[in-house]
Amino acid sequence: MKNKYSIFSLIKNAFSQHENWQQAWGDPNPKKEYDAVIVGGGGHGLATAYYLAKKHNMKNIAVLEKGWIGGGNTGRNTTIIRSNYLWDASAGLYDHALKIWENLSQELNYNVMFSQRGVMNLAHNLQDVRDLKRRTHANRLNGIDAIWLNTNEVKKFCPIINTSPNIRYPVLGGTLQKRAGTARHDAVAWGYARGANEMGVDIIQNCEVKGIKRNGNQVEGIDTVKGFIKTKKIGVVAAGHSSVIANMAGLKLPLESKPLQALVSEPVKPIIDTVVMSNAVHAYVSQSDKGELVIGAGTDAYVSYTQRGSHDVVEGTLKAILELYPIFSRMKMLRQWGGIVDICPDASPIISKTSIKGLYFNCGWGTGGFKATPGSGDLFAHTIANDEPHKLNAAFNINRFVSGDLVDEHGAAAVAH
Amino acid sequence: MFVINCPYCGERDQSEFNSGGEAHIIRPKQPTELSDDEWAEFLFMRKNIKGIQFERWNHTHGCRKWFNVVRDTTNDQIHAVYKMGEKPPKDY
Amino acid sequence: MSNYRINKTDFVDQTSRISFKFDGKTYFGYKGDTLASALLSNGIHLLGRSFKYHRPRGIMSCGSEEPNAICQINDETELSEPNVRATEIELYEGLEVSAQNCWPSVNFDIGGINNFISPFIPAGFYYKTFMWPKSFWKNIYEPLIRKSAGLGKSPTKPDPEIYDHKHVHCDVLVIGGGISGIMSAKLAAQKNLNTILVDDKNTLGGSTIIQENEDFKINNEISKDWLIKEIKELQKLDNLTIKTRTSIAAFHSYNYLLAKENLTDHLPKDKKNNSIRQRLWKIRAKKVVIAAGSIERPLVFNNNDRPGIFLANSINKYLNFYGVSCGLNNFIFTNNDSAYETAISLFEKGISVNMIDIRKKATSNIVKQAEKLGIKIYWNSTVTNTFGYRKINSIEIMKLSDDGSNVMGDKIKINCDCLGISGGWTPMVHMHTQSGGKLNFRENDQVFLPKDGYPNQISVGSCNGDFELDEIIKNTNRNIKIYLDIKNTDYDNLDISCSKEVEKRNIWLLPNYLPIGKTKSFVDFQNDSTAKDIKLALREGFRSIEHVKRYTTTGMATDQGKLSNMHALGIIAETAGVKMGTLGTTTFRPPFTPLTFGAIVGRNVGRFFDITRKTPMHEWHLDNNAEFENVGQWKRAWFYPKNNEDMHKAVQRESKAARESAGILDASTLGKIDIQGTDASEFLNRVYTNAWSKLAIGKCRYGLMLNEDGMVYDDGVTTRLGENHYLMTTTTGGAANVLSKLEDYLQTEWPELDVYMTSVTDHYATASVCGPNSKKILIKLFPDLKFDDENFPHMSFQKAYLDKIECRIMRISFTGEQSYEININSKYGKSLWEKCIDAGKEFDITPYGTETMHLLRAEKGFIIVGQDTDGTMTPVDLQMDWIVSKKKYDFIGKRSLYRSDTIRDDRKQLVGLLTDDPNEVLEEGAQIVADINKKPIDMLGHVTSSYYSPNLKKSIALAVVRSGKKMKGQKLIVPMENKNINVTVSDFIFLDKENSKLNA
């Protein structure tokens, strides 16, 4: 790597007042033709380009981003990473991602601050207990580290949780995945962008896609605000805007795009050293390295591309936070924002070929795509390069909505954050 | 949080309503005669429009009536409401 | 210690002394002080340490934009609160304050070492290092980073205070009680519009309230005096509500605004009297007038962050509002006229002051006035450095080159104890943009201004870019007249005189003789991001303002960039050589100032967190020692332990009683929907999988309801009460969803059907009496009714009277025992229950809870939707083919049952499981495999329900297993963490397969 990052490069550059750092990625104009074009410069799209270049030797590729890279859900999520999913297909997919996360900083030479501080899911009623135990058993047999904690163990692992039996929905226990945790979301996009760019991938920002050109059933190219780009393979990783791109190609997807909100508190000294999620008392919280409590709210149940949701959802979330953490009542919300999440009917993603040759979709990650970023990019790159899914994403094809073989993560896996 | 003009009750806060998604997807009269593809089209495939969308809303915490709304999903502005069974306004 | 209180003002009551503690030491201030003004009056400037470099920081401003002076109040108490701005907290007796982000003390802070290693830790350094060796990240690097980050400390005790919400509608909401807000509110109220005026301070008046300069007059009165009269007028208006100490937190679409009113934060603990601390106003306003004002900009130059460096106008406010002088030897460094008002005010009070102006000259009245007074002005000059570790003690000045890109001439070093800085003014467009409004850029003074033309809102005053007194008044008057359709106003013919700024010069990053890499020119003070950090980000390819913001953390501190965003944009524009207006701004996210979680949540805490639904018999259950289970919002009796029984013992006793004599269950929580209309039968045909047309009046039938995707959704027994009248029951948790789903189909797909539905769940209480002696008990209760199997067979219904109160009795069974569900008006529920218990006494009738109910039905192989199903089970999977009508051409979900993957016969199917060891009870949720040695392990399914059955004297379980239908008798394994349990697939009906007990 021409510009390797390390403590030594920091020291060296300090003596030239940091005037000699290179661009992390360039700002090129699009070429006339690429071997593949990725639509969407979020974490998943950049990772796809990175693995296409790295593992499939496709270097003449471009990532087109309508705004600035990492500016969509990559930069708006609550950064939770875990793989304790119920179904084998999901567990396979997310644990593949988790394994990549564990070495990602070193691989990218970019510190994505993957922090394995554990993710705990709480149970508040007897059905929660059954569901979470079911998931824990499945995880264990799938080789995923997940354990069941009783209420006392929950309290011991995260002492600030209100485990009093007298609250409205007492904590009856929970699951813990210790390998799970959080990462620095922006760094993931930037690290992949830098890595992909290093291998020759063009990252083209402010380049909105206007149309997809087909010759019969084969993709021919893509119309953008920066002109027409010829290509035989288009991988769309446009999250909330997937349907918009699909419509350009005359496809409909089983997706609805909805607002999802999150918020942070003012920064404080370390007070919670893990990630705690609760489905029944709908709240999840962690603390960033900067000290902010990072709190995820729910989705609004209507289609919207506004990147803003309703205040009721935020109020409901904080209500749940104060139920579980009454000590946070005098903390203050610093910032609140929304993203647009594309949700599949079975709460599982699509990483798939389509009925149009050369057109691939990676979408439907709903509220929980961040954790899958490296795995999603790797498997989507495989699918694009080989025109065939990898065995780990075979179940996540579009056809499952026709045949009925859904990967339903609503039921026992609860909300797929 | 927008305000929806329920055709039966008048203007109410959005929190009284529930969205039923895209409107005018008519349930097939003879589902058994459809192919798996056609059935999936009805069941799952959605336009998910960015822009003016015709959609269904229910005044859940009010009169419990379902009705249609014409809403711009890019800014949540509501352009029209009309009752179930009425023809959608043509201007959109 | 010197006393810096040098002036008497109308706003601080110098007869009312207040003591408070800062870092353990006691100080005094007065009623009307903020913590900041009180500290300054005591000569205390150093209040805290910055986020990254732990540099000493003091008070910089006098309002919500304060980046530095944030502290912890009432630490270690239940009223502890971190990150409170000293500029906003009103002083009260007993207030305890401590400095933040420093150890061991604010004066000597170990973290200050970061300042010396700062060359090695530029913006984003953490992305480039801490990667080797890998294990150090988790164990060393990250814990260190986490410990040094964060500012104040989270409270550790529950909050004893109360928060409240209030919903209001108004015609006009005016945001901001400065001169333009006051004018707008008066005009709106005079027009007879229901108006609310909010201001975050405890008094109205904005900056004009301290405007004493004779250059600014309205109708020949000093502007301050004119405004005081206006405020008095305002208070006479009937339809105007004035809310001080109230700040707008968010402006959402459709004019939905959140305002936080502080009610008791300014009171000492003993005066709070358990009253509401903060109230969140949820306001729907027909029209909104934004008069939020503007914030003074700092200047960006080397070491511009020391304690003793203030925004120039804040010095004026401390002087004329609080009577406190920030320093005795002041320099004011400016690029505009407004700072001269401060200088003149200081001078007139006999305090030493000099001016440094980056402009080459200025010809306005106010500058001339300063010159006439003899205030020294260093023209065309800039500050190149400041000195003094804990407080500024001197500055270094140089001349600017002609184009302002460089410094020249000699360095002049001068002593001072206070430096005011003013880089112009930034209109507060937050509210406008939060509501969805767009912005224009005005080149002349480099400000973003609200675009107009939004029918629901208007911006007036300095937040709309009017900075001169005459423009503010004239434009506010004109725009409000148009906006609110007013013909003539009190303000039409005012005679206004004011000094007008002529010369303008703006340099976002002031030049220095040092290379930028050797300077620390702070842009974001709290987060310690400097001009060189921004340049580094640009150099590394971060071009979007959002990228720069995220890479350098500029604008992400607790002040949300109120002082830094414009400079960041300006420096990016200057460096990249683009026009600032084309860069756009970062998104202004709510809230405007940090908003207490407690205020957002209001009273919905503790016992108001969620409603609790209780059945009419709830008191009886309580009196009889029941343990409860939460099912949705319902509290259901779970089991009734006697003599310290544990659950297992209680359930064994209860279930035996139900099978051997009589048991009674409170079934009131089951959803009940009353369905009427001439097409009611047809409707049921379409929503259930089985056929309903032929059900005779007075008969009951079990029904299974699917989702359109073919998966089981809900179940329950429906009774035909009359020709066109049914009573449907649903699961407890599913009641509301089922009704709303049915309404959806009825109203939108099948509007031609004549059907009406009403939820009657809460109207009836239900006692379910079961067991071999149940009939005898019923006979005692209803002596007039015939209970023989011919007159009242299983799956039928009778109307009867209990002490003249009508009851509906359904002979239906969820336990396999003969069983009667008695429904009665819920008012009589408890009475019915007690009568049943009374009548059953001779049979030792035993109340049983949901746990026993679950066991009894499992013995019979009856499913519980949600426990034995999970949204992926079809009726065929549940071996309930018998209930799926083959004749009906359609029902909800039918088509989905015939898709290629739903007709597969290797789907997971409901089976029974028997453990080889009859005493071994399986864990619900445990997985099932055939071969434990095969890797990866192939999981066939899982245990859905599992109990020890005292009636069968063995462990039984229901499970879903792949191809389970074909596996009866097959041996399988349930692998647990510490052992493998051997099981055999069995029939899922364990007891009385012939249903002989139903009619026994």
Side-chain angles (χ1 to χ4, degrees), chain C residues 761-779:
Chain C
T761 305
D762 292 315
H763 302 46
Y764 292 94
T766 309
S768 175
V769 181
C770 84
N773 288 316
S774 58
K775 191 183 283 180
K776 291 176 196 153
I777 296 167
L778 269 279
I779 291 169

Side-chain angles (χ1 to χ4, degrees), chain A residues 18 24 69 103 106 111 115 117 130 137 168-169 184 186 267 269 289 315 329-331 333 403, chain C residues 83 101 119 127 131 134 142 146 159 161 282 539-540 547 550 595 597 610 633 901 923-924:
Chain A
H18 301 285
I69 60 167
N103 293 301
Q106 285 71 27
N111 192 348
S115 170
R117 62 184 78 164
R130 287 182 203 106
H137 284 295
R168 181 68 185 84
Y169 299 105
R184 171 87 188 112
D186 292 330
K269 294 291 174 196
D289 282 347
E315 182 177 318
S329 171
R330 299 176 88 83
M331 292 284 289
M333 174 166 90
S403 72
Chain C
N83 307 335
N101 206 34
Y127 299 124
M131 289 178 281
K134 196 181 140 194
E142 197 190 23
R146 281 173 80 79
D159 187 352
E161 296 202 275
K282 300 179 171 183
R539 192 174 304 129
E540 293 196 79
H547 275 161
R550 285 156 182 262
L595 183 58
F597 287 1
D610 195 12
Q633 290 168 324
D901 277 312
E923 182 166 286
E924 287 168 352

Side-chain angles (χ1 to χ4, degrees), chain C residues 605-878:
Chain C
V605 290
R607 63 196 193 79
F608 299 119
F609 170 68
D610 195 12
I611 58 167
T612 303
R613 297 178 79 181
K614 295 171 185 169
T615 74
M617 294 80 140
H618 188 82
E619 291 296 316
W620 191 94
H621 305 322
L622 276 178
D623 293 344
N624 285 272
N625 205 27
E627 293 284 335
F628 290 89
E629 173 192 4
N630 285 311
V631 182
Q633 290 168 324
W634 287 102
K635 287 276 178 200
R636 295 199 72 179
W638 188 14
F639 57 96
Y640 302 79
K642 268 187 178 171
N643 312 321
N644 298 321
E645 283 173 326
D646 61 8
M647 182 172 84
H648 176 76
K649 286 216 177 89
V651 167
Q652 300 293 305
R653 173 180 52 75
E654 289 171 12
S655 56
K656 255 176 116 70
R659 291 253 182 258
E660 289 171 6
S661 180
I664 181 166
L665 172 83
D666 180 356
S668 309
T669 62
L670 288 183
K672 294 177 275 288
I673 302 171
D674 189 272
I675 302 175
Q676 302 191 34
T678 52
D679 293 317
S681 303
E682 171 60 16
F683 182 67
L684 291 174
N685 268 335
R686 298 186 190 185
V687 300
Y688 277 130
T689 60
N690 47 350
W692 289 80
S693 311
K694 288 181 187 156
L695 183 70
I697 294 169
K699 297 287 185 200
C700 314
R701 182 167 286 172
Y702 174 77
L704 201 57
M705 200 180 286
L706 308 186
N707 251 333
E708 200 69 277
D709 67 359
M711 304 303 154
V712 171
Y713 181 71
D714 204 81
D715 68 346
V717 170
T718 294
T719 303
R720 190 164 195 175
L721 300 172
E723 173 66 27
N724 297 319
H725 190 187
Y726 289 86
L727 181 69
M728 173 188 278
T729 57
T730 73
T731 58
T732 299
N737 291 337
V738 167
L739 178 62
S740 101
K741 179 187 161 95
L742 297 187
E743 281 285 4
D744 185 354
Y745 276 90
L746 181 61
Q747 291 179 35
T748 68
E749 299 293 351
W750 308 318
E752 72 279 7
L753 295 185
D754 174 40
V755 175
Y756 303 88
M757 286 180 285
T758 307
S759 166
V760 293
T761 305
D762 292 315
H763 302 46
Y764 292 94
T766 309
S768 175
V769 181
C770 84
N773 288 316
S774 58
K775 191 183 283 180
K776 291 176 196 153
I777 296 167
L778 269 279
I779 291 169
K780 280 177 76 178
L781 287 168
F782 302 96
D784 300 338
L785 204 62
K786 291 178 182 160
F787 279 94
D788 56 287
D789 290 346
E790 197 164 321
N791 281 300
F792 199 167
H794 181 58
M795 295 307 271
S796 68
F797 144 83
Q798 293 282 347
K799 205 185 277 180
Y801 292 87
L802 187 67
D803 292 348
K804 297 183 190 161
I805 306 302
E806 189 186 292
C807 296
R808 289 168 173 173
I809 306 170
M810 280 81 170
R811 185 172 166 190
I812 53 178
S813 175
F814 192 45
T815 59
E817 296 299 322
Q818 198 171 126
S819 174
Y820 299 87
E821 281 188 8
I822 312 164
N823 292 275
I824 197 166
N825 183 318
S826 52
K827 275 186 281 189
Y828 306 104
K830 195 176 169 214
S831 162
L832 164 71
W833 183 269
E834 283 164 348
K835 281 180 193 298
C836 291
I837 296 281
D838 224 30
K841 227 167 221 157
E842 60 177 293
F843 308 103
D844 200 17
I845 192 169
T846 302
Y848 67 92
T850 51
E851 191 65 23
T852 293
M853 185 257 287
H854 285 193
L855 163 56
L856 295 171
R857 63 85 208 181
E859 289 175 337
K860 281 291 292 174
F862 295 148
I863 59 151
I864 290 188
V865 173
Q867 178 170 344
D868 301 296
T869 72
D870 60 1
T872 68
M873 302 298 288
T874 69
V876 182
D877 298 339
L878 294 169

Side-chain angles (χ1 to χ4, degrees), chain C residues 223-387:
Chain C
S223 55
K224 167 189 170 172
D225 297 333
W226 181 85
L227 190 65
I228 288 170
K229 283 187 194 156
E230 281 295 303
I231 294 171
K232 279 189 187 137
E233 291 266 308
L234 216 53
Q235 275 143 356
K236 293 182 203 151
L237 293 167
D238 285 340
N239 43 358
L240 173 66
T241 307
I242 300 172
K243 282 281 153 201
T244 52
R245 295 192 178 102
T246 303
S247 53
I248 297 292
F251 189 162
H252 294 299
S253 57
Y254 285 73
N255 278 14
Y256 183 72
L257 295 98
L258 302 175
K260 180 198 69 179
E261 182 182 15
N262 268 332
L263 292 159
T264 63
D265 272 354
H266 59 291
L267 298 175
K269 201 174 171 186
D270 58 344
K271 297 243 167 73
K272 289 182 198 260
N273 299 325
N274 293 323
S275 53
I276 295 159
R277 180 192 179 204
Q278 294 175 345
R279 176 177 286 132
L280 193 69
W281 291 66
K282 300 179 171 183
I283 306 169
R284 282 268 185 211
K286 287 195 184 124
K287 287 173 185 271
V288 175
V289 178
I290 305 172
S294 53
I295 287 180
E296 193 167 22
R297 292 175 183 169
L299 289 164
V300 178
F301 55 94
N302 188 24
N303 288 322
N304 58 342
D305 66 323
R306 298 191 191 283
I309 299 180
F310 290 83
L311 294 174
N313 188 258
S314 296
I315 296 176
N316 198 14
K317 175 130 190 209
Y318 284 115
L319 187 64
N320 289 312
F321 195 93
Y322 301 105
V324 175
S325 173
C326 296
L328 301 175
N329 181 14
N330 298 276
F331 271 75
I332 293 181
F333 179 26
T334 186
N335 71 354
N336 67 87
D337 277 2
S338 70
Y340 284 82
E341 294 171 40
T342 302
I344 291 164
S345 198
L346 283 166
F347 186 89
E348 284 178 342
K349 295 191 171 66
I351 302 166
S352 160
V353 61
N354 297 280
M355 297 295 297
I356 305 157
D357 197 321
I358 73 167
R359 295 176 295 180
K360 290 165 187 167
K361 65 174 174 63
T363 54
S364 60
N365 289 344
I366 187 102
V367 176
K368 282 182 192 149
Q369 196 188 349
E371 283 174 324
K372 207 186 282 172
L373 290 170
I375 296 172
K376 182 168 170 59
I377 305 169
Y378 295 83
W379 291 109
N380 192 28
S381 297
T382 181
V383 177
T384 49
N385 206 351
T386 67
F387 307 91

